[in-house]
Amino acid sequence: MASSNRLSTGGLLFSSVALAAAVALSNTLSVEAFAPSASHFSLTSAASGCRSSDRSSITTATTLYNRSARRKDKKKKKKRAPAFMEEEEDDAASRSSPQSANSNEPILLGGGDAGFTNEVPDSSKIPVATRTSKAPKKSKLEQELSGERIQEDGVVGESVTSSASVSDMPLEPGMAQPDVTTVVTDPDTGIARIQQGKYVMDKVTGKAVVLSSLGPEYRLAQMFPGVPPETREKYRFDIATVTVPEMIEGLREACTVPLKNSSTGKEWLGIPPHPQISNPSVDFVLANRDFLGHRMKKTLGRLKLRAQSQFQKEEASELRTLWKHFLLLEDHISAPFRQIILNAEANVGPNFGNLDVKSYCDGDLYERTANYLVLKSMVAHWEKKYNDALALEEIPDDEGINFLAQLYTGDPKRYLPDPPIIFRLNEVSRIVVMAQKMCAAFVAEAELFDDLPAEVKFVEQALGIQGGTALRQFMLEDFCPANNVDGASLREGLKRLYQQMFNMQIDPYGDLTMTLWNLCVATSVGTEEARDPYEEYIANVRGTKYENNPGFFQTYTFNHDKNSLVRFLDSAKVIEKGTAGSAEDVGRQIQGEAFQLLGFDFGGGDKGAEKEVVVEEKDYQVPEDRAIGRPHMMGWLDLLGDDEELMGGKDDKEEAFEADKWEEVKS
């Protein structure tokens, strides 16, 4: 689509047809929120044609054998090396490989080839087997390079476009994947775990998100929703002067509507019972999407805790209801975007390594936009993993600060017994190079990239510019005129895209999301939009009192159980290197700490002596270096009751109404 045919309105950048669709949907983009016009819909099917290496001929030393030799020596038992010896030999071979982690640069292999040789050298003493009893299991790297998830028992492993999760419950053999994500109980442990569904769930309806059947323009409007100009004029903030209390009051007024109980006939003004929403609340959030989002979430949460800490129960309850309703609105508005991104993952993931991106990334504008965001997020995610792997290689293996640096660098899932991720430098480098090549191939295809929304194209071009001044100059003098947009509209479009991306899961979308935020900040320098009204509420380091910090709330220490890990760590004495003393001293300390943590004694004690039974336990004296002057057991966290996370409180009787027994009063 030529740039001359593109326009911007209120910073929400998309094609003119999509704008018309958004205006046409102005009466349905609210409480019905992107409701379908038909009872069925179809999702984009994953494109085929993944190019992967044929490894059917690959064999390993552990599977090779000589049948004739075995027949001759069948009476002689062959001595086998222990399994851990084979692992050590494999590790040694990996360290001696030219593709080892000692290399600081990514290794360009191209085409998704895993780089293994398919033949045993002539000088090898191991005969080549002509047949094997079963196909060799793919390595983790091979699974990643072929676009599959890493398969591990009891754990959902990562793929190139999806993260690993120890909380997710893998499907049992023969079990069908549910339509929407559900919480199930692990039969082995009894712990609640998440079972991912095929589709994103709309929390308002409790069902799978349904994309519009009216055409691709309407789906683009669902992906980047907006409001008509008159609605925007009604609800829009003035960012140059607006304050956080004014923003919260405006949100509260928009969410408060006349309600009626159809059973009793009672009418009242209030926020609809969870999980219901009203038209004005959706319009208000969409009109100010770039000013609200996750910073409003943080602010509402802090203000709710602040009211609790001051024992203002009624105000805390009202803030909690508003906070919960705003979280629901954010989830509801971003649900179509997340579904479209999920569809794009099904396109890109299975085709990892295929540089013919047009064969699987082509489609309507909303589909190509999602495919690019998945590719760009994949690049940012694996570049971060490459930088972490490189940093781990350079950190010396010794005690002290270097040991701590190793702990907090990179993905902590690598410490699992059988990590469901790729994290070694020589393996990560091969994936990041291919991810970069795939994204570059997409951008090079004019039919795929050139008519994407302006804010999306700006991301690609802006990341190659060094320095904030040069970036803003490029935006105003080059990019905006070439794409027929103004600077204010582009900045708003960037912030709206950032809010949508922030509602995606952190892994693997968090790295690109933070990049978008940095672009939002850099492009706003020198404008009215650089003013951040939230800063004193969520990032105030000047004051630590209620009087000088509007977002402050007083934390406190607790009476931890006698055998709790917290008490154990509080009482454990650090034995400095070289000052451990005698073996008896060390034994007494370990014995005392084990008794405190585990509740029983072992060795060295008088077995005939009976332990004194403590009937009444005094308040726990928290060590000063951890208490840092905080009060003890204030109790305000329990102010709103035990059902805080599920209901609005015991006194909020309106929330007990069933969802189908209330209706919005029509004016």
Side-chain angles (χ1 to χ4, degrees), residues 259-322:
L259 302 175
K260 178 181 179 180
N261 188 306
S262 59
S263 298
T264 64
K266 178 185 176 181
E267 296 185 6
W268 74 97
L269 288 175
I271 295 176
H274 188 82
Q276 304 298 322
I277 58 176
S278 62
N279 287 346
S281 61
V282 175
D283 290 342
F284 179 87
V285 173
L286 288 178
N288 297 284
R289 193 75 195 285
D290 49 321
F291 295 154
L292 298 175
H294 85 281
R295 295 174 77 78
M296 176 57 80
K297 295 178 187 177
K298 287 183 178 180
T299 301
L300 287 173
R302 291 186 68 91
L303 291 178
K304 176 252 187 187
L305 294 174
R306 176 185 174 92
Q308 277 184 256
S309 66
Q310 295 176 308
F311 293 92
Q312 299 173 359
K313 183 176 181 179
E314 184 176 354
E315 181 181 354
S317 180
E318 292 177 356
L319 284 169
R320 179 187 58 190
T321 302
L322 181 62

Coordinates of all heavy atoms in Angstrom, one line a residue, residues 259-322:
L259 N -26.7 0.5 37.4 CA -26.9 -1.0 37.3 C -28.2 -1.3 37.9 O -28.8 -0.6 38.8 CB -25.8 -1.7 38.1 CG -24.3 -1.4 37.6 CD1 -23.4 -2.1 38.6 CD2 -24.1 -1.9 36.2
K260 N -28.8 -2.4 37.5 CA -30.1 -2.9 38.0 C -30.0 -4.4 38.2 O -29.6 -5.1 37.3 CB -31.2 -2.5 37.0 CG -32.6 -2.9 37.4 CD -33.6 -2.5 36.4 CE -35.0 -3.0 36.7 NZ -36.0 -2.5 35.8
N261 N -30.6 -4.9 39.3 CA -30.7 -6.3 39.5 C -32.1 -6.7 38.9 O -33.1 -6.3 39.4 CB -30.6 -6.6 41.0 CG -30.6 -8.1 41.2 OD1 -31.5 -8.9 40.8 ND2 -29.6 -8.5 42.0
S262 N -32.0 -7.6 37.9 CA -33.2 -7.9 37.2 C -34.2 -8.8 38.1 O -35.3 -8.9 37.8 CB -32.9 -8.7 35.9 OG -32.1 -9.9 36.2
S263 N -33.6 -9.4 39.1 CA -34.4 -10.2 40.0 C -35.2 -9.4 41.0 O -36.4 -9.6 41.3 CB -33.6 -11.3 40.7 OG -33.0 -12.1 39.8
T264 N -34.5 -8.5 41.6 CA -35.1 -7.7 42.7 C -35.6 -6.3 42.3 O -36.4 -5.6 43.0 CB -34.1 -7.5 43.9 OG1 -33.0 -6.7 43.4 CG2 -33.7 -8.9 44.4
G265 N -35.1 -5.8 41.1 CA -35.4 -4.5 40.6 C -34.6 -3.4 41.3 O -34.8 -2.2 41.0
K266 N -33.7 -3.7 42.1 CA -32.8 -2.7 42.8 C -31.9 -2.1 41.8 O -31.3 -2.7 40.9 CB -32.0 -3.4 43.9 CG -31.1 -2.4 44.6 CD -30.2 -3.2 45.6 CE -29.2 -2.2 46.3 NZ -28.3 -2.9 47.2
E267 N -31.8 -0.7 41.9 CA -30.9 0.0 41.0 C -29.9 0.7 41.9 O -30.2 1.2 43.0 CB -31.7 1.1 40.2 CG -32.7 0.4 39.2 CD -33.4 1.5 38.3 OE1 -33.0 2.6 38.4 OE2 -34.3 1.1 37.6
W268 N -28.7 0.9 41.3 CA -27.6 1.6 42.0 C -26.5 2.0 41.0 O -26.5 1.5 39.9 CB -27.0 0.7 43.1 CG -26.1 -0.4 42.6 CD1 -24.7 -0.5 42.5 CD2 -26.5 -1.7 42.1 NE1 -24.3 -1.6 42.0 CE2 -25.4 -2.4 41.8 CE3 -27.8 -2.3 42.0 CZ2 -25.4 -3.7 41.3 CZ3 -27.9 -3.6 41.4 CH2 -26.7 -4.3 41.1
L269 N -25.6 2.8 41.4 CA -24.5 3.3 40.7 C -23.2 2.5 41.2 O -23.0 2.5 42.4 CB -24.2 4.8 40.8 CG -25.2 5.7 40.1 CD1 -24.9 7.1 40.4 CD2 -25.2 5.5 38.6
G270 N -22.5 1.9 40.2 CA -21.3 1.2 40.7 C -20.6 0.6 39.5 O -21.0 0.7 38.3
I271 N -19.5 -0.1 39.9 CA -18.7 -0.8 38.9 C -19.4 -2.2 38.7 O -19.7 -2.9 39.6 CB -17.3 -1.0 39.4 CG1 -16.6 0.4 39.4 CG2 -16.5 -1.9 38.4 CD1 -15.2 0.4 40.0
P272 N -19.6 -2.6 37.4 CA -20.2 -3.9 37.2 C -19.5 -5.0 37.9 O -18.3 -5.0 38.1 CB -20.2 -4.1 35.7 CG -20.0 -2.7 35.1 CD -19.2 -1.9 36.2
P273 N -20.3 -6.1 38.3 CA -19.7 -7.2 39.0 C -18.7 -7.9 38.1 O -18.9 -8.0 36.9 CB -20.9 -8.1 39.3 CG -22.1 -7.2 39.2 CD -21.7 -6.2 38.2
H274 N -17.6 -8.4 38.6 CA -16.6 -9.1 37.9 C -17.2 -10.4 37.4 O -17.9 -11.1 38.1 CB -15.4 -9.4 38.8 CG -14.2 -10.0 38.1 ND1 -13.3 -9.2 37.4 CD2 -13.8 -11.3 38.0 CE1 -12.4 -10.0 36.9 NE2 -12.7 -11.3 37.2
P275 N -17.0 -10.8 36.1 CA -16.1 -10.3 35.1 C -16.8 -9.5 34.0 O -16.7 -9.8 32.8 CB -15.4 -11.5 34.6 CG -16.5 -12.5 34.6 CD -17.4 -12.2 35.7
Q276 N -17.7 -8.6 34.4 CA -18.4 -7.8 33.4 C -17.8 -6.4 33.2 O -17.2 -5.9 34.1 CB -19.9 -7.7 33.8 CG -20.6 -9.1 34.0 CD -20.6 -9.9 32.8 OE1 -20.8 -9.4 31.7 NE2 -20.4 -11.2 33.0
I277 N -18.1 -5.8 32.1 CA -17.6 -4.5 31.8 C -18.7 -3.7 31.1 O -19.7 -4.2 30.7 CB -16.3 -4.5 30.9 CG1 -16.6 -5.2 29.5 CG2 -15.1 -5.1 31.6 CD1 -15.5 -5.2 28.6
S278 N -18.5 -2.4 31.0 CA -19.5 -1.5 30.4 C -18.9 -0.8 29.2 O -17.6 -0.6 29.1 CB -20.0 -0.5 31.4 OG -19.0 0.3 31.9
N279 N -19.7 -0.2 28.4 CA -19.3 0.5 27.2 C -18.4 1.7 27.5 O -17.3 1.9 27.0 CB -20.5 1.0 26.3 CG -21.1 -0.2 25.6 OD1 -20.6 -1.2 25.5 ND2 -22.3 0.1 25.1
P280 N -18.8 2.6 28.4 CA -18.0 3.8 28.7 C -16.6 3.5 29.2 O -15.6 4.2 28.9 CB -18.8 4.5 29.8 CG -20.2 4.1 29.6 CD -20.1 2.6 29.2
S281 N -16.4 2.4 30.0 CA -15.1 2.0 30.5 C -14.2 1.6 29.4 O -13.0 2.0 29.4 CB -15.2 0.9 31.6 OG -15.8 -0.2 31.0
V282 N -14.7 0.9 28.4 CA -13.8 0.5 27.3 C -13.4 1.7 26.5 O -12.3 1.8 26.1 CB -14.5 -0.6 26.5 CG1 -13.7 -0.9 25.2 CG2 -14.8 -1.9 27.3
D283 N -14.4 2.6 26.2 CA -14.1 3.8 25.4 C -13.1 4.6 26.1 O -12.2 5.2 25.5 CB -15.4 4.5 25.2 CG -16.4 3.8 24.3 OD1 -15.9 2.9 23.5 OD2 -17.6 4.2 24.3
F284 N -13.2 4.8 27.4 CA -12.3 5.6 28.2 C -10.9 5.1 28.1 O -9.9 5.8 27.8 CB -12.7 5.7 29.6 CG -11.8 6.5 30.5 CD1 -12.0 7.9 30.6 CD2 -10.8 6.0 31.2 CE1 -11.2 8.7 31.4 CE2 -9.9 6.7 32.0 CZ -10.2 8.1 32.1
V285 N -10.7 3.8 28.3 CA -9.4 3.2 28.2 C -8.8 3.3 26.8 O -7.6 3.6 26.7 CB -9.4 1.7 28.7 CG1 -8.1 1.0 28.5 CG2 -9.8 1.6 30.2
L286 N -9.6 3.0 25.8 CA -9.1 3.1 24.4 C -8.7 4.5 24.1 O -7.7 4.8 23.4 CB -10.1 2.6 23.5 CG -10.4 1.1 23.4 CD1 -11.4 0.7 22.5 CD2 -9.1 0.3 23.1
A287 N -9.4 5.5 24.5 CA -9.1 6.9 24.2 C -7.8 7.4 24.9 O -7.1 8.3 24.4 CB -10.3 7.8 24.7
N288 N -7.4 6.7 26.0 CA -6.2 7.1 26.7 C -5.3 5.9 26.9 O -4.5 5.9 27.8 CB -6.6 7.6 28.1 CG -7.5 8.9 28.1 OD1 -7.0 10.0 27.8 ND2 -8.8 8.7 28.3
R289 N -5.3 5.0 25.9 CA -4.5 3.8 26.0 C -3.0 4.1 26.2 O -2.3 3.4 27.0 CB -4.6 3.0 24.8 CG -4.1 1.5 25.0 CD -5.1 0.7 25.8 NE -4.5 -0.5 26.3 CZ -4.3 -1.6 25.6 NH1 -4.7 -1.6 24.3 NH2 -3.8 -2.7 26.2
D290 N -2.5 5.1 25.6 CA -1.0 5.4 25.7 C -0.7 6.0 27.0 O 0.5 6.1 27.4 CB -0.6 6.4 24.6 CG -1.5 7.6 24.4 OD1 -2.8 7.4 24.6 OD2 -1.1 8.7 24.1
F291 N -1.7 6.6 27.8 CA -1.4 7.2 29.1 C -1.7 6.2 30.2 O -1.3 6.5 31.4 CB -2.3 8.4 29.3 CG -2.0 9.5 28.4 CD1 -2.9 10.5 28.0 CD2 -0.7 9.7 27.8 CE1 -2.6 11.5 27.2 CE2 -0.4 10.7 26.9 CZ -1.4 11.6 26.6
L292 N -2.4 5.1 30.0 CA -2.8 4.2 31.0 C -1.8 3.0 31.1 O -0.7 3.1 31.4 CB -4.2 3.8 30.9 CG -5.2 5.0 30.9 CD1 -6.6 4.5 30.6 CD2 -5.2 5.7 32.3
G293 N -2.4 1.8 30.8 CA -1.5 0.6 30.7 C -0.9 0.2 32.0 O -1.5 0.4 33.1
H294 N 0.3 -0.4 31.9 CA 0.9 -1.0 33.1 C 1.3 0.0 34.2 O 1.3 -0.3 35.4 CB 2.1 -1.8 32.7 CG 3.4 -1.1 32.6 ND1 3.7 -0.3 31.5 CD2 4.4 -1.0 33.5 CE1 4.9 0.2 31.7 NE2 5.4 -0.1 32.9
R295 N 1.6 1.3 33.8 CA 1.9 2.3 34.9 C 0.7 2.6 35.7 O 0.8 2.9 36.9 CB 2.5 3.5 34.2 CG 3.9 3.2 33.6 CD 4.4 4.3 32.8 NE 5.1 5.3 33.6 CZ 6.3 5.2 34.2 NH1 7.0 4.1 34.0 NH2 6.8 6.2 34.9
M296 N -0.5 2.6 35.1 CA -1.7 2.8 35.9 C -2.0 1.6 36.8 O -2.4 1.7 37.9 CB -2.9 3.1 35.0 CG -4.2 3.2 35.7 SD -4.3 4.5 37.0 CE -4.5 5.9 36.0
K297 N -1.7 0.4 36.3 CA -1.8 -0.8 37.1 C -0.9 -0.7 38.3 O -1.4 -1.0 39.5 CB -1.4 -2.1 36.3 CG -2.2 -2.4 35.1 CD -1.6 -3.6 34.4 CE -2.3 -3.9 33.1 NZ -1.7 -5.1 32.4
K298 N 0.3 -0.3 38.2 CA 1.2 -0.2 39.3 C 0.7 0.9 40.3 O 0.8 0.7 41.5 CB 2.6 0.2 38.8 CG 3.4 -0.9 38.2 CD 4.8 -0.5 37.8 CE 5.6 -1.6 37.2 NZ 7.0 -1.1 36.8
T299 N 0.3 2.0 39.8 CA -0.2 3.1 40.6 C -1.4 2.7 41.5 O -1.5 3.0 42.7 CB -0.5 4.3 39.8 OG1 0.7 4.7 39.1 CG2 -0.9 5.5 40.7
L300 N -2.4 2.1 40.8 CA -3.6 1.6 41.6 C -3.2 0.6 42.6 O -3.8 0.6 43.7 CB -4.6 1.0 40.6 CG -5.3 2.0 39.7 CD1 -6.2 1.3 38.7 CD2 -6.2 3.0 40.5
G301 N -2.3 -0.3 42.3 CA -1.9 -1.3 43.3 C -1.2 -0.6 44.5 O -1.4 -1.0 45.7
R302 N -0.3 0.3 44.2 CA 0.4 1.0 45.3 C -0.6 1.8 46.2 O -0.5 1.9 47.4 CB 1.5 1.9 44.8 CG 2.7 1.2 44.2 CD 3.8 2.1 43.8 NE 4.4 2.7 45.0 CZ 5.5 2.2 45.6 NH1 6.0 1.0 45.1 NH2 6.0 2.7 46.6
L303 N -1.5 2.5 45.6 CA -2.5 3.3 46.3 C -3.4 2.4 47.2 O -3.8 2.8 48.3 CB -3.3 4.2 45.4 CG -2.5 5.3 44.7 CD1 -3.4 6.1 43.7 CD2 -1.9 6.3 45.7
K304 N -3.7 1.3 46.7 CA -4.5 0.3 47.5 C -3.8 -0.1 48.7 O -4.3 -0.2 49.8 CB -4.9 -0.8 46.6 CG -5.7 -1.9 47.3 CD -4.8 -3.2 47.4 CE -5.6 -4.3 48.0 NZ -4.7 -5.5 48.3
L305 N -2.5 -0.5 48.5 CA -1.6 -0.9 49.7 C -1.4 0.3 50.6 O -1.3 0.1 51.8 CB -0.3 -1.4 49.2 CG -0.4 -2.7 48.4 CD1 1.0 -3.1 47.8 CD2 -0.9 -3.9 49.3
R306 N -1.3 1.5 50.1 CA -1.1 2.7 50.9 C -2.3 2.9 51.8 O -2.2 3.1 53.0 CB -0.9 3.9 50.0 CG -0.8 5.2 50.8 CD -0.7 6.4 49.8 NE -0.7 7.7 50.5 CZ 0.3 8.4 50.9 NH1 1.5 7.8 50.7 NH2 0.2 9.5 51.4
A307 N -3.5 2.7 51.3 CA -4.8 2.9 52.1 C -4.9 1.8 53.1 O -5.3 2.1 54.3 CB -6.0 2.9 51.2
Q308 N -4.5 0.6 52.8 CA -4.5 -0.5 53.8 C -3.5 -0.2 54.9 O -3.9 -0.4 56.1 CB -4.1 -1.8 53.1 CG -5.2 -2.5 52.4 CD -4.8 -3.9 51.8 OE1 -4.6 -4.0 50.6 NE2 -4.7 -4.9 52.7
S309 N -2.3 0.2 54.6 CA -1.3 0.5 55.6 C -1.7 1.6 56.5 O -1.2 1.7 57.7 CB 0.0 0.8 54.9 OG 0.0 2.0 54.3
Q310 N -2.7 2.5 56.1 CA -3.2 3.5 57.0 C -4.5 3.1 57.6 O -5.2 3.9 58.2 CB -3.4 4.8 56.2 CG -2.1 5.4 55.7 CD -2.3 6.6 54.8 OE1 -3.0 6.6 53.8 NE2 -1.6 7.7 55.1
F311 N -4.9 1.8 57.4 CA -6.1 1.2 58.0 C -7.4 2.0 57.5 O -8.3 2.1 58.3 CB -6.0 1.2 59.5 CG -5.0 0.2 60.0 CD1 -3.7 0.7 60.2 CD2 -5.2 -1.1 60.1 CE1 -2.7 -0.2 60.7 CE2 -4.3 -2.0 60.6 CZ -3.0 -1.6 60.8
Q312 N -7.3 2.4 56.3 CA -8.5 3.0 55.6 C -9.2 2.0 54.8 O -9.0 1.8 53.6 CB -8.1 4.2 54.8 CG -7.4 5.3 55.6 CD -6.9 6.4 54.7 OE1 -7.0 6.4 53.5 NE2 -6.3 7.5 55.3
K313 N -10.0 1.2 55.5 CA -10.6 -0.1 54.9 C -11.5 0.2 53.7 O -11.4 -0.4 52.7 CB -11.3 -0.9 55.9 CG -11.8 -2.2 55.4 CD -12.5 -3.0 56.5 CE -13.0 -4.3 56.0 NZ -13.6 -5.2 57.1
E314 N -12.4 1.2 53.8 CA -13.3 1.5 52.8 C -12.6 2.0 51.5 O -12.9 1.6 50.4 CB -14.3 2.6 53.3 CG -15.4 2.9 52.2 CD -16.5 3.8 52.8 OE1 -16.4 4.2 54.0 OE2 -17.4 4.2 52.0
E315 N -11.7 2.9 51.7 CA -10.9 3.4 50.5 C -10.1 2.3 49.9 O -10.0 2.2 48.6 CB -10.0 4.6 50.9 CG -9.2 5.1 49.8 CD -8.3 6.3 50.2 OE1 -8.4 6.7 51.4 OE2 -7.5 6.8 49.3
A316 N -9.5 1.4 50.7 CA -8.7 0.3 50.1 C -9.6 -0.6 49.4 O -9.2 -1.1 48.3 CB -8.0 -0.4 51.3
S317 N -10.8 -0.9 49.9 CA -11.7 -1.8 49.2 C -12.2 -1.2 47.8 O -12.2 -1.9 46.8 CB -12.9 -2.1 50.1 OG -13.8 -2.9 49.4
E318 N -12.4 0.1 47.8 CA -12.8 0.8 46.5 C -11.7 0.7 45.5 O -11.9 0.5 44.3 CB -13.3 2.2 46.8 CG -14.6 2.3 47.6 CD -14.9 3.7 47.9 OE1 -14.1 4.6 47.6 OE2 -16.0 4.0 48.5
L319 N -10.5 1.0 46.0 CA -9.3 1.0 45.1 C -9.1 -0.4 44.6 O -8.7 -0.6 43.4 CB -8.1 1.5 45.8 CG -8.0 3.0 46.0 CD1 -6.9 3.4 46.9 CD2 -7.8 3.7 44.6
R320 N -9.3 -1.4 45.4 CA -9.1 -2.8 44.9 C -10.1 -3.1 43.9 O -9.7 -3.8 42.9 CB -9.2 -3.7 46.1 CG -9.1 -5.2 45.7 CD -9.4 -6.1 46.9 NE -10.7 -5.9 47.4 CZ -11.1 -6.5 48.5 NH1 -10.3 -7.2 49.2 NH2 -12.4 -6.3 48.9
T321 N -11.3 -2.7 44.0 CA -12.4 -3.0 43.0 C -12.0 -2.3 41.7 O -12.2 -2.9 40.6 CB -13.7 -2.6 43.5 OG1 -14.0 -3.2 44.8 CG2 -14.8 -2.9 42.5
L322 N -11.6 -1.1 41.8 CA -11.2 -0.3 40.6 C -10.0 -1.0 39.9 O -9.9 -1.1 38.7 CB -11.0 1.1 40.9 CG -10.6 2.0 39.7 CD1 -11.8 2.1 38.7 CD2 -10.3 3.4 40.2

